[in-house]
């Protein structure tokens, strides 16, 4: 939030419409997968530019690491799924409006203050308090 994500979202929705991709430059591949080409690019970037030779380290590895960090910070499974972008599944998942953004942000703040990312300083990216 402090890095301007909400403002970015608002500008992007006004520019391209609320039902379009949040980030520019993404298009589905021939099978309709939105992240396949990005994933391939990132894999090449890790190997060639960053020098990470372990081919098991891929873009999806961020999800695994983030999930582990959330678990370490005591964030329960339902909220972890929402933060990661997984659906809850089952009939019950369709009821209610789910966790609101402010609530999810509270969990992210907990993660940043008590979890693995406590030493991560993003203040140089802040556009607001």
């Amino acid at each position: 939030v402090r890095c301007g994500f909400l403002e970015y979202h608002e500008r992007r929705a006004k520019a391209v419409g609320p039902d379009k991709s949040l980030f520019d430059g993404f298009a589905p591949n021939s099978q309709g997968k939105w992240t396949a080409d990005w994933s391939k690019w990132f894999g090449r970037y890790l190997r060639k530019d960053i020098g990470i030779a372990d081919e098991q380290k891929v873009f999806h590895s961020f999800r695994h690491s983030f999930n582990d960090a959330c678990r370490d910070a005591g964030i329960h499974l339902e909220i972890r799924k929402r933060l990661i972008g997984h659906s809850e599944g089952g009939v019950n998942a369709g009821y209610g409006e789910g966790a609101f953004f402010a609530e999810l942000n509270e969990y992210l703040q907990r993660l940043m203050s008590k979890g693995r990312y406590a030493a991560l300083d993003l203040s140089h990216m802040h556009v607001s308090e």
Side-chain angles (χ1 to χ4, degrees):
V1 170
R2 289 181 295 211
C3 294
F5 182 74
L6 296 178
E7 291 84 1
Y8 170 80
H9 176 267
E10 186 177 326
R11 284 192 313 273
R12 179 76 177 156
K14 283 181 183 175
V16 299
D19 297 330
K20 298 295 181 187
S21 177
L22 182 59
F23 301 104
D24 193 24
F26 286 89
N29 68 4
S30 60
Q31 288 83 38
K33 302 288 184 182
W34 281 86
T35 58
D37 289 341
W38 163 256
S39 215
K40 287 178 187 175
W41 175 88
F42 191 80
R44 289 189 301 268
Y45 174 74
L46 282 180
R47 312 289 167 254
K48 294 178 184 175
D49 296 334
I50 303 296
I52 296 176
D54 183 353
E55 293 198 10
Q56 297 218 21
K57 300 297 182 199
V58 295
F59 189 73
H60 197 74
S61 299
F62 286 114
R63 257 191 185 179
H64 292 273
S65 298
F66 183 77
N67 191 44
D68 289 344
C70 287
R71 189 181 302 110
D72 290 352
I75 298 173
H76 56 88
L77 182 59
E78 178 184 347
I79 296 298
R80 285 198 323 257
K81 284 182 174 182
R82 289 192 181 271
L83 290 171
I84 292 169
H86 289 168
S87 65
E88 293 178 51
V91 174
N92 189 48
Y95 296 123
E97 295 184 39
F100 294 101
F101 189 76
E103 180 187 0
L104 295 177
N105 186 46
E106 287 177 27
Y107 284 101
L108 286 174
Q109 296 310 312
R110 178 193 307 175
L111 181 67
M112 296 300 289
S113 64
K114 298 180 182 176
R116 293 182 185 189
Y117 305 125
L120 181 62
D121 181 8
L122 299 176
S123 62
H124 64 286
M125 296 174 60
H126 292 174
V127 296
S128 65
E129 292 298 318

